[in-house]
Amino acid sequence: MRKLRVAMVGGGRDAFIGAVHRHAMALDGRYELVAGALSSTPGKSLASGRDLGLAEDRIHADWPALLADELRRPAAERVDLVVIVTPNHLHFDVARAFVDAGFHVACDKPLVHGVAQAGELVSLVQARGTAFCVTYNYIGYPLVREARELVRGGAIGKVRKVVVEYHQGWLAGALESRSNKQSSWRTDPAQSGPGGALGDIGTHAENLLHTVTGLAIEELCAELASFGPGRRLDDDASILLRLSGGARGVLLVSQMAVGHENDLRLRVFGERGSLDWRQEEPNALIHAPLDAPPRRLTRGSAGLSESARRACRLPPGHPEGFIEAFANLYTELAADLHAGTRSGDYPRVADGARGVRFVERAVASQGLWVDMAAA
Amino acid sequence: MRKLRVAMVGGGRDAFIGAVHRHAMALDGRYELVAGALSSTPGKSLASGRDLGLAEDRIHADWPALLADELRRPAAERVDLVVIVTPNHLHFDVARAFVDAGFHVACDKPLVHGVAQAGELVSLVQARGTAFCVTYNYIGYPLVREARELVRGGAIGKVRKVVVEYHQGWLAGALESRSNKQSSWRTDPAQSGPGGALGDIGTHAENLLHTVTGLAIEELCAELASFGPGRRLDDDASILLRLSGGARGVLLVSQMAVGHENDLRLRVFGERGSLDWRQEEPNALIHAPLDAPPRRLTRGSAGLSESARRACRLPPGHPEGFIEAFANLYTELAADLHAGTRSGDYPRVADGARGVRFVERAVASQGLWVDMAAA
Amino acid sequence: MRKLRVAMVGGGRDAFIGAVHRHAMALDGRYELVAGALSSTPGKSLASGRDLGLAEDRIHADWPALLADELRRPAAERVDLVVIVTPNHLHFDVARAFVDAGFHVACDKPLVHGVAQAGELVSLVQARGTAFCVTYNYIGYPLVREARELVRGGAIGKVRKVVVEYHQGWLAGALESRSNKQSSWRTDPAQSGPGGALGDIGTHAENLLHTVTGLAIEELCAELASFGPGRRLDDDASILLRLSGGARGVLLVSQMAVGHENDLRLRVFGERGSLDWRQEEPNALIHAPLDAPPRRLTRGSAGLSESARRACRLPPGHPEGFIEAFANLYTELAADLHAGTRSGDYPRVADGARGVRFVERAVASQGLWVDMAAA
Amino acid sequence: MRKLRVAMVGGGRDAFIGAVHRHAMALDGRYELVAGALSSTPGKSLASGRDLGLAEDRIHADWPALLADELRRPAAERVDLVVIVTPNHLHFDVARAFVDAGFHVACDKPLVHGVAQAGELVSLVQARGTAFCVTYNYIGYPLVREARELVRGGAIGKVRKVVVEYHQGWLAGALESRSNKQSSWRTDPAQSGPGGALGDIGTHAENLLHTVTGLAIEELCAELASFGPGRRLDDDASILLRLSGGARGVLLVSQMAVGHENDLRLRVFGERGSLDWRQEEPNALIHAPLDAPPRRLTRGSAGLSESARRACRLPPGHPEGFIEAFANLYTELAADLHAGTRSGDYPRVADGARGVRFVERAVASQGLWVDMAAA
């Protein structure tokens, strides 16, 4: 199979997530980065493109130039996929323009800044029929897929409660007052959107909960806080959830939780068993059946579901990590792009939209119960 | 030092917690059980007393008979301490009567059934000047004491957030419909009080939070649930907390959390570090300073505070457990009883009263914020 | 049942293991310490006896005085059991004298200083018919018992290999040059015997291996080392083993392994599964069946063998530790003493003798294979 | 920088390690696979080359054809690197031929079949001045590098003892009697060489020990065993080591250790501290200083050595795994190839040769001490 041609918007020198996307696309050899508008600073965009070995005529000063250039090129040169890894506030304009022009898109999360934008984008993707992947990378882990299959297959019975936590400590100090690129835009409402930790990592938690259990958040009661000195967005949130089917939930996120690095954990309690998975030890999943000893399921081992096995490159005991999980989304997307299908195992624009609504409703909650469906 | 003479109310054959109290009192050789009214069933009371080697004339059919007998005896025979380990609904009458008669008391938790009873008992203890220990045993662990000293000493800076969880799975099935003594009274409101999991283990969680951090719960928002079929009391609770000094908290308890056995965990996040302790691995405490690698502190090791060291019998690596922690309360109480002081490191009647209020307010919350101070 | 009367030899103020024996005997309320020769220093012996509340006339300056006094007393006063917790070099004389006089004995390990002494003691115990418990306390853990039952019951098939490690770090520095009572006698060949770490903890490792697997060490090849400056006995040993039935083994012990506290670990690999147990997390046992996920068995949980369940006081998740395991030996011994049987689940004089032979042969090995059966 | 052109020998369809090399080379975008002789079966070689998108004229039926073709091509087309991932017995002929022709080589381990071959290859590489990387991938982990820097920098003082274990369970059954490609050639002496588990994973363990500590094995005493029914090579080995500078060591490998997946663990004990690292949790390293609590060092965190930091792509808590570590060798090699230097941080032909000698001496030992330097 030929490699898919990719253009990247954002992700220039010093950006964090853009490099991750490139590693993830490279890992399985299915993609080739050929074009980009890699920074909002033209000089940096150019330098970044050269670093990555792009041809000079495919390095652009901004995304409209990239779009215009792509539209001029013959199909055999034109990119198959546009990857959007800018700060959050730019996602909407870029995504809308490329989708509207018929391009397939992979976009980082949170998708956009509000439910209105999200709704418009969902409709547009549907209208154009393009593929659209939101890179909620954690659900690319094989054992997250296994958890999903176990829950859906009834292994733990009806779900009663879900506890999902995402604890980080990197914003415990006043990092944004120093010159940390990540913390500076992520704590600026204009660039990051209405949610701080909520948007950055709460959306991952919400998506993980939804993906594994299939349950929807119907109501939530969110207590947000900003502990960092002078911080304008939440760096901590504790949220009670009422889920579809009568299940309950708790979603905790924090970026000032010293001692936690990137500690996303999901526990699902059902009538006949429970599941426990932690992102920092992603190669294992604990399945505790009612009235029997807990079993430690491992990536690559015999007996996993087909969908989990498909996401493994290596035998058990040979750890796969963050990049591998991220790559699994791209691998599924590649299959769709090659085949013209839309059946791959990756998050869609609707998942991204649900996350946007989650952030918006949580911010609106102010400690009271709010309905997720409400405007 | 002579052994302290003890009478026990409750704790007959098949009772769980009474036997634990006896192990705990026996461990350090400071107590001698000499009298009892061990069951509400006279025949069982007698048989239980004989099992324990009590003299026939000190085995009583009910607690009033025990009280009357004790009052008749000369001081040299009279018990030094009355231990109350009945089902919860009996705590109040028994405790009130013995305190009123001037006896020192150790009483299991939750203390009593409502803030009115609790208040009366607090006043009475104060008036009589007796010692009164509420056996919140988890704070007897050396590393819980170490956590308290670290927080109080400023090792992690101002506390921002506390997450305390207590997950058990033993009520995941409908245990009370079978003949399980423990589950049957613990799930009966008349015997157990207004809280189910909340009273049984939530009070431990509240007390742990308070003891370690010194912070008070000012407001709470509690979502209770009963998942067990036909269950009349909560078996799951998720509670948001607003703590004194602006800190936030989350308190989770569940008794239907399959895969968790007795999983009490406390995390305290401060401006300059965090602490993490789990009851199921009680011999270690993780202290993560801001900007430095986490340190694993262990029971018995050099460098612990005096109060933690005093609670250790064995060198590091020789695990001490539940009974040892429990015994530490009794050891501190013994010192008070011998010396006539009231300065020992054990929970008091006021701690028990605070727990009763916590349960009452959490039940009243019904998903809304309520003030802890309110009636 | 009446409490058994106990005399203790050794175990005075500042002794470590004597206090552990007392805690262990106290825990279940089956023993009462009534007499003692607690120290080789008469003044200390007296003070120690008073600390423990012994009657003045049952505190003795030395063990011959204790023995003489006991023999003078009527049966109703005479002790049921003599507990020997002196430094190792005194075990033989004391044990021989009391056994010869018909007393039941519990003796700490290593049993005596050489196979000749050990053989004599074994014969004497057999001749007198007394009960004799060697306090290899680690096999009192419920999950060690469970491991034994699983191996014996064929759960992991024929045993192929055993890896037993016992790592401590407390002698990494030159502790004996300071005034540490424990390290000073334990590193003195005259008091400790021919083995240092080998005798102190290697015997525990050997006994654990033997107890769980039932296999005998047929040949061994031992590399001993003394890393502590000026140390006269081994503080580290690495030993290859050839076991009965063709199995292989490795036994590692060290007391200079910084970072390990009391890290005894046993792994047994069989044709159809494996077991893994660590003393520092004694409430769990990992059972990995061939071709299925590992199962985590926990103390107190359903499905354990009768012999493991009998060793549990508390439900799962309520940690039991070192003292509880130690107490389990005493509880089994108590049953034998009450019933006049010799069927309890505790290590016998022959186990102690096997440990003595193990040390002697390992010291003799000097890096070459030696036969365990050889003189 | 332009991508380096690579030819691969071996690694066709169904091969395990060839695919890992391709993932590792792809990850950082520094290599491009352009040619290959991917299988000893011509049809499979062709199909495999097409799978990988190689041009038809660069897919060869065997490695001599590949070599001949490369030598015919102009420098601008010729490959920069030849990667050898055949079964072990073919390494020597292929490596010798390509090195002799002046090609840079990356070769899997164990290097060749005996010290004679190894010596010849070392000399040839020296004579030709080519780069030669032996893919001992585990030393590419950032925290292995950190361990090396800590030891070399004196953080744990003089090394006293090293315990390195490599336990796997995949050969616990008679896998080779079924149709498992991996197990069939790895258990065939003609293809695998004189060592079974010893060659396959023991060489990794030896290299890890040597790389981290800088110590040489001077003498060893090895007990090999074959537990798998009908197995002709060792599947288990227990080896005592005498290391340079008076340190001692133990090296354990097994492929019949049910319950272990790929459990390589290194513990280094020094006078002033210890280190503990496990491949299955590669993102953490435990450093226990003498007389202070153990510290958990994590990949990506502040305070790591420059050499460890250089090996990280992601922030702490974002797990990197096996492929990332593998890729780190290739990244260091790429820098050497671009710059014409030989200073990269990857294992050399001499490391491979040392491993071959280790296997040979261990096989020769037969339970007795042998000198590593001896013929």
Side-chain angles (χ1 to χ4, degrees):
Chain A
M1 283 189 298
R2 73 169 181 87
K3 291 193 177 185
L4 295 160
R5 291 181 299 274
V6 175
M8 182 168 271
V9 182
R13 284 180 175 180
D14 304 332
F16 160 54
I17 205 66
V20 172
H21 281 253
R22 288 191 295 268
H23 287 303
M25 284 189 283
L27 185 65
D28 294 330
R30 287 178 172 82
Y31 293 91
E32 185 178 15
L33 183 66
V34 300
L38 298 155
S39 170
S40 50
T41 311
K44 194 173 185 178
S45 192
L46 184 60
S48 301
R50 285 173 176 162
D51 286 352
L52 296 169
L54 302 188
E56 293 284 320
D57 68 333
R58 300 195 81 163
I59 308 177
H60 303 280
D62 53 33
W63 66 264
L66 168 66
L67 175 57
D69 185 60
E70 286 300 320
L71 290 173
R72 268 194 300 270
R73 292 185 181 268
E77 283 183 14
R78 198 177 298 152
V79 297
D80 298 287
L81 177 71
V82 177
V83 172
I84 304 173
V85 287
T86 61
N88 306 341
H89 66 298
L90 302 172
H91 289 177
F92 179 64
D93 285 348
V94 185
R96 183 175 54 178
F98 280 94
V99 170
D100 195 42
F103 286 89
H104 304 301
V105 166
C107 182
D108 216 273
K109 39 47 61 184
L111 183 63
V112 291
H113 267 196
V115 295
Q117 290 184 353
E120 187 179 337
L121 204 52
V122 169
S123 301
L124 187 63
V125 169
Q126 191 161 22
R128 292 292 173 271
T130 53
F132 197 107
C133 171
V134 180
T135 50
Y136 284 126
N137 51 289
Y138 296 111
I139 70 160
Y141 278 113
L143 289 172
V144 168
R145 291 191 183 180
E146 183 68 16
R148 181 187 62 190
E149 300 308 312
L150 287 169
V151 172
R152 305 293 174 91
I156 63 168
K158 185 176 189 312
V159 172
R160 290 170 160 179
K161 187 165 184 189
V162 186
V163 180
V164 58
E165 310 169 56
Y166 199 154
H167 284 105
Q168 297 182 331
W170 68 296
L171 286 175
L175 212 57
E176 62 268 46
S177 65
R178 302 176 232 159
S179 60
N180 180 302
K181 179 181 165 61
Q182 289 305 314
S183 55
S184 98
W185 78 256
R186 285 189 199 276
T187 57
D188 172 8
Q191 295 182 76
S192 192
L198 209 51
D200 191 20
I201 61 177
T203 49
H204 277 299
E206 183 277 337
N207 188 64
L208 181 63
L209 180 159
H210 177 81
T211 302
V212 169
T213 66
L215 300 178
I217 299 174
E218 296 185 338
E219 293 172 83
L220 60 79
C221 171
E223 177 86 331
L224 310 189
S226 299
F227 289 103
R231 193 157 290 154
R232 290 168 294 164
L233 288 170
D234 64 280
D235 52 22
D236 186 89
S238 305
I239 309 180
L240 305 180
L241 307 173
R242 292 175 184 152
L243 304 169
S244 51
R248 302 300 172 90
V250 176
L251 189 154
L252 306 179
V253 300
S254 187
Q255 293 186 313
M256 60 87 219
V258 184
H260 291 269
E261 295 184 333
N262 194 41
D263 202 353
L264 173 62
R265 180 185 187 187
L266 175 70
R267 283 177 283 179
V268 184
F269 300 105
E271 291 184 348
R272 290 203 308 273
S274 71
L275 298 174
D276 191 348
W277 178 82
R278 278 190 65 217
Q279 193 273 147
E280 295 195 6
E281 295 181 15
N283 294 284
L285 170 69
I286 306 301
H287 170 218
L290 187 66
D291 298 329
R295 310 179 319 139
R296 188 172 185 271
L297 308 178
T298 54
R299 193 197 48 72
S301 61
L304 296 194
S305 63
E306 195 280 331
S307 112
R309 275 185 288 118
R310 205 170 70 221
C312 298
R313 288 160 197 80
L314 301 176
H318 298 68
E320 296 194 44
F322 186 91
I323 291 174
E324 286 83 345
F326 217 115
N328 287 333
L329 304 190
Y330 273 108
T331 298
E332 294 280 338
L333 178 61
D336 264 6
L337 298 190
H338 277 297
T341 53
R342 297 290 174 268
S343 55
D345 194 348
Y346 55 89
R348 306 304 159 88
V349 67
D351 295 289
R354 204 185 54 249
V356 169
R357 176 176 295 273
F358 166 71
V359 171
E360 201 165 285
R361 299 308 293 150
V363 170
S365 158
Q366 304 205 45
L368 301 177
W369 285 96
V370 294
D371 199 308
M372 265 288 273
Chain B
M1 283 189 297
R2 72 169 181 86
K3 291 193 178 186
L4 296 160
R5 292 181 297 275
V6 176
M8 184 169 269
V9 181
R13 285 181 175 179
D14 304 332
F16 160 54
I17 206 65
V20 172
H21 281 253
R22 289 191 295 267
H23 287 302
M25 283 187 284
L27 185 64
D28 295 330
R30 287 177 173 81
Y31 293 91
E32 184 178 16
L33 183 67
V34 299
L38 298 154
S39 170
S40 50
T41 312
K44 195 173 185 179
S45 192
L46 183 61
S48 302
R50 286 172 176 164
D51 286 352
L52 297 169
L54 301 188
E56 294 283 318
D57 69 333
R58 299 195 81 164
I59 307 176
H60 303 280
D62 52 33
W63 67 263
L66 167 67
L67 174 58
D69 184 61
E70 286 300 320
L71 290 173
R72 270 193 300 269
R73 293 185 180 267
E77 283 183 14
R78 196 178 298 151
V79 298
D80 298 287
L81 178 70
V82 176
V83 172
I84 304 173
V85 289
T86 61
N88 306 339
H89 66 299
L90 302 172
H91 289 178
F92 180 64
D93 285 347
V94 184
R96 184 175 51 179
F98 280 94
V99 171
D100 195 41
F103 287 89
H104 304 302
V105 166
C107 182
D108 215 272
K109 37 50 59 185
L111 183 62
V112 291
H113 268 195
V115 295
Q117 290 184 351
E120 187 179 338
L121 203 53
V122 169
S123 302
L124 187 64
V125 169
Q126 191 161 21
R128 292 290 173 271
T130 54
F132 197 107
C133 171
V134 179
T135 50
Y136 283 127
N137 52 289
Y138 296 112
I139 72 160
Y141 277 113
L143 289 172
V144 169
R145 291 192 183 179
E146 183 68 16
R148 180 187 63 189
E149 300 308 312
L150 287 170
V151 172
R152 306 291 175 91
I156 63 167
K158 185 176 188 313
V159 172
R160 291 170 161 179
K161 189 169 185 185
V162 186
V163 180
V164 58
E165 311 168 57
Y166 200 155
H167 284 104
Q168 297 182 331
W170 66 297
L171 286 175
L175 213 57
E176 62 267 46
S177 64
R178 302 176 233 159
S179 60
N180 180 302
K181 179 181 164 62
Q182 288 305 314
S183 55
S184 97
W185 77 256
R186 285 188 199 278
T187 57
D188 172 8
Q191 295 182 76
S192 191
L198 208 53
D200 190 20
I201 61 176
T203 49
H204 277 299
E206 185 277 338
N207 188 63
L208 180 63
L209 180 159
H210 176 81
T211 301
V212 169
T213 67
L215 300 178
I217 299 174
E218 296 185 339
E219 295 172 83
L220 60 78
C221 171
E223 177 86 334
L224 310 188
S226 299
F227 289 103
R231 191 157 292 155
R232 290 169 294 163
L233 288 170
D234 63 281
D235 53 21
D236 186 89
S238 306
I239 309 180
L240 305 180
L241 307 173
R242 292 174 184 153
L243 304 169
S244 50
R248 303 301 171 91
V250 176
L251 189 155
L252 306 179
V253 300
S254 188
Q255 293 185 313
M256 60 88 217
V258 184
H260 291 268
E261 294 184 334
N262 194 40
D263 202 353
L264 172 62
R265 180 186 186 187
L266 175 70
R267 283 177 283 179
V268 185
F269 299 103
E271 291 184 348
R272 292 203 307 274
S274 70
L275 297 174
D276 191 350
W277 179 80
R278 279 190 65 217
Q279 194 273 149
E280 294 194 5
E281 296 182 13
N283 293 285
L285 170 69
I286 305 301
H287 170 217
L290 187 65
D291 299 329
R295 309 178 319 138
R296 188 172 185 272
L297 309 177
T298 54
R299 193 196 47 72
S301 62
L304 296 194
S305 63
E306 193 280 331
S307 113
R309 275 185 288 119
R310 205 170 69 222
C312 298
R313 288 160 196 79
L314 301 175
H318 299 68
E320 296 194 43
F322 186 91
I323 290 173
E324 287 83 345
F326 217 115
N328 288 332
L329 303 191
Y330 273 108
T331 299
E332 294 279 339
L333 177 61
D336 263 6
L337 298 189
H338 277 297
T341 53
R342 297 288 176 268
S343 55
D345 194 350
Y346 56 88
R348 306 304 158 88
V349 68
D351 295 288
R354 206 187 52 249
V356 168
R357 178 177 293 274
F358 166 72
V359 171
E360 200 165 282
R361 300 309 293 151
V363 170
S365 158
Q366 305 204 46
L368 301 177
W369 286 95
V370 293
D371 199 309
M372 265 288 272
Chain C
M1 282 190 299
R2 72 168 180 87
K3 291 194 178 185
L4 295 160
R5 292 181 296 274
V6 175
M8 183 169 271
V9 182
R13 285 179 173 181
D14 304 332
F16 160 53
I17 206 66
V20 172
H21 282 253
R22 288 190 296 267
H23 286 302
M25 284 188 284
L27 185 65
D28 295 330
R30 287 178 172 81
Y31 293 91
E32 185 178 15
L33 184 66
V34 299
L38 298 154
S39 169
S40 50
T41 311
K44 194 173 186 178
S45 192
L46 183 61
S48 302
R50 285 172 176 164
D51 287 351
L52 297 169
L54 301 188
E56 293 283 320
D57 68 333
R58 299 195 81 164
I59 307 177
H60 303 279
D62 51 35
W63 66 264
L66 168 66
L67 175 57
D69 184 60
E70 288 298 323
L71 290 173
R72 267 194 301 270
R73 292 185 181 268
E77 284 182 14
R78 198 177 297 151
V79 298
D80 298 288
L81 177 70
V82 176
V83 172
I84 304 173
V85 289
T86 61
N88 305 339
H89 65 299
L90 302 173
H91 289 177
F92 180 64
D93 285 347
V94 184
R96 184 175 50 177
F98 280 94
V99 170
D100 194 41
F103 287 89
H104 304 303
V105 165
C107 181
D108 215 272
K109 39 49 57 186
L111 183 63
V112 291
H113 267 195
V115 295
Q117 289 183 352
E120 187 179 338
L121 203 53
V122 169
S123 302
L124 188 64
V125 170
Q126 191 162 21
R128 291 293 172 271
T130 53
F132 196 106
C133 170
V134 179
T135 50
Y136 284 126
N137 51 289
Y138 296 111
I139 71 160
Y141 277 114
L143 289 172
V144 168
R145 291 192 183 178
E146 182 69 16
R148 180 186 64 189
E149 301 308 311
L150 287 169
V151 172
R152 306 293 174 90
I156 63 167
K158 185 177 188 309
V159 172
R160 290 170 162 180
K161 187 167 185 186
V162 185
V163 180
V164 58
E165 311 169 55
Y166 199 155
H167 284 104
Q168 296 182 333
W170 66 296
L171 286 175
L175 212 57
E176 62 267 48
S177 65
R178 301 176 234 160
S179 60
N180 179 304
K181 180 182 165 63
Q182 288 305 314
S183 56
S184 96
W185 77 256
R186 285 189 199 277
T187 57
D188 172 8
Q191 295 181 77
S192 192
L198 209 52
D200 190 20
I201 61 176
T203 48
H204 277 299
E206 184 277 337
N207 188 64
L208 181 63
L209 179 159
H210 177 81
T211 302
V212 169
T213 66
L215 300 178
I217 299 175
E218 295 185 338
E219 294 172 82
L220 61 78
C221 171
E223 177 86 333
L224 309 190
S226 299
F227 289 103
R231 191 156 291 154
R232 288 169 295 164
L233 289 170
D234 64 282
D235 53 21
D236 185 271
S238 306
I239 309 181
L240 304 180
L241 307 173
R242 292 174 184 152
L243 303 170
S244 51
R248 302 302 171 90
V250 176
L251 189 154
L252 306 179
V253 300
S254 188
Q255 293 185 313
M256 61 85 217
V258 184
H260 292 268
E261 295 183 334
N262 194 41
D263 202 353
L264 172 62
R265 181 186 186 187
L266 174 71
R267 284 176 281 179
V268 184
F269 299 104
E271 291 184 348
R272 292 203 307 274
S274 70
L275 298 174
D276 192 349
W277 179 81
R278 278 190 65 218
Q279 192 274 149
E280 295 194 6
E281 296 180 13
N283 294 284
L285 169 69
I286 306 300
H287 170 216
L290 186 66
D291 300 329
R295 309 179 319 140
R296 188 172 184 272
L297 309 178
T298 54
R299 193 197 48 70
S301 60
L304 297 193
S305 64
E306 194 280 332
S307 114
R309 275 186 287 119
R310 204 169 70 221
C312 297
R313 286 159 198 80
L314 302 176
H318 298 68
E320 296 193 43
F322 186 91
I323 291 173
E324 287 84 345
F326 217 115
N328 287 332
L329 304 190
Y330 273 107
T331 299
E332 294 279 341
L333 177 61
D336 264 5
L337 298 189
H338 277 297
T341 52
R342 297 290 175 268
S343 56
D345 194 349
Y346 55 88
R348 307 302 159 89
V349 67
D351 295 288
R354 204 185 56 247
V356 169
R357 177 176 293 274
F358 167 71
V359 172
E360 200 165 284
R361 300 308 293 150
V363 170
S365 158
Q366 304 203 45
L368 301 177
W369 286 95
V370 294
D371 200 310
M372 266 288 273
Chain D
M1 282 190 299
R2 72 169 181 86
K3 292 194 176 184
L4 296 160
R5 292 181 298 275
V6 175
M8 183 169 269
V9 181
R13 285 179 176 181
D14 303 332
F16 160 53
I17 205 65
V20 172
H21 282 253
R22 289 191 296 267
H23 286 302
M25 284 188 283
L27 185 65
D28 295 330
R30 288 177 172 83
Y31 293 90
E32 185 180 16
L33 183 66
V34 299
L38 298 155
S39 170
S40 50
T41 311
K44 193 173 187 180
S45 191
L46 183 61
S48 301
R50 285 173 176 162
D51 286 351
L52 296 169
L54 302 188
E56 293 283 319
D57 67 332
R58 299 195 81 163
I59 307 176
H60 302 280
D62 53 34
W63 66 264
L66 167 67
L67 176 56
D69 184 59
E70 286 300 321
L71 289 174
R72 267 193 302 271
R73 291 184 182 269
E77 284 183 14
R78 198 178 297 152
V79 297
D80 298 287
L81 178 70
V82 176
V83 172
I84 303 174
V85 288
T86 61
N88 306 340
H89 66 297
L90 301 173
H91 289 177
F92 180 63
D93 285 348
V94 184
R96 183 174 54 177
F98 279 94
V99 170
D100 195 41
F103 287 89
H104 304 303
V105 166
C107 182
D108 216 274
K109 41 46 58 185
L111 183 63
V112 291
H113 268 196
V115 295
Q117 290 183 352
E120 187 178 336
L121 203 53
V122 168
S123 302
L124 187 63
V125 169
Q126 189 162 23
R128 292 292 173 273
T130 53
F132 196 107
C133 170
V134 179
T135 50
Y136 283 126
N137 50 289
Y138 296 112
I139 72 160
Y141 277 113
L143 288 171
V144 168
R145 291 192 184 179
E146 183 68 15
R148 180 187 63 190
E149 301 308 311
L150 287 169
V151 172
R152 306 291 174 91
I156 62 167
K158 185 175 188 312
V159 172
R160 289 170 163 181
K161 187 167 185 187
V162 186
V163 180
V164 57
E165 310 170 56
Y166 199 154
H167 284 104
Q168 297 182 332
W170 67 297
L171 287 175
L175 212 58
E176 63 267 46
S177 64
R178 301 176 234 159
S179 59
N180 179 303
K181 180 182 165 61
Q182 289 304 315
S183 56
S184 95
W185 77 257
R186 286 190 199 274
T187 57
D188 172 8
Q191 295 182 76
S192 191
L198 209 52
D200 190 20
I201 62 176
T203 49
H204 277 299
E206 184 277 336
N207 188 64
L208 180 63
L209 179 159
H210 177 80
T211 301
V212 169
T213 66
L215 300 177
I217 298 174
E218 296 185 339
E219 294 173 83
L220 61 78
C221 171
E223 177 87 332
L224 309 189
S226 299
F227 289 103
R231 191 157 290 155
R232 288 168 295 164
L233 289 171
D234 64 280
D235 53 22
D236 185 272
S238 305
I239 309 181
L240 305 180
L241 307 173
R242 292 173 184 153
L243 303 170
S244 51
R248 302 302 171 90
V250 176
L251 189 153
L252 306 179
V253 300
S254 187
Q255 294 185 313
M256 61 85 216
V258 183
H260 292 268
E261 294 183 333
N262 194 41
D263 201 353
L264 173 61
R265 181 185 186 188
L266 175 70
R267 282 177 283 179
V268 185
F269 299 103
E271 291 184 350
R272 291 204 307 274
S274 70
L275 298 173
D276 192 350
W277 179 82
R278 278 190 65 217
Q279 193 274 150
E280 294 194 7
E281 296 181 12
N283 293 283
L285 170 68
I286 306 301
H287 170 217
L290 187 65
D291 299 329
R295 310 179 318 138
R296 188 172 185 271
L297 309 178
T298 54
R299 192 198 47 71
S301 62
L304 297 192
S305 63
E306 194 280 331
S307 112
R309 276 185 288 118
R310 206 170 67 222
C312 298
R313 287 159 198 81
L314 302 176
H318 298 68
E320 296 194 43
F322 186 90
I323 292 174
E324 287 83 345
F326 217 115
N328 287 333
L329 304 191
Y330 272 108
T331 299
E332 294 279 341
L333 178 61
D336 264 6
L337 298 189
H338 277 296
T341 53
R342 298 289 175 270
S343 56
D345 194 350
Y346 55 89
R348 306 303 158 88
V349 67
D351 294 289
R354 205 186 54 250
V356 168
R357 176 177 294 273
F358 167 71
V359 172
E360 201 165 284
R361 300 308 293 151
V363 170
S365 159
Q366 304 203 46
L368 301 176
W369 285 95
V370 294
D371 199 309
M372 264 288 274

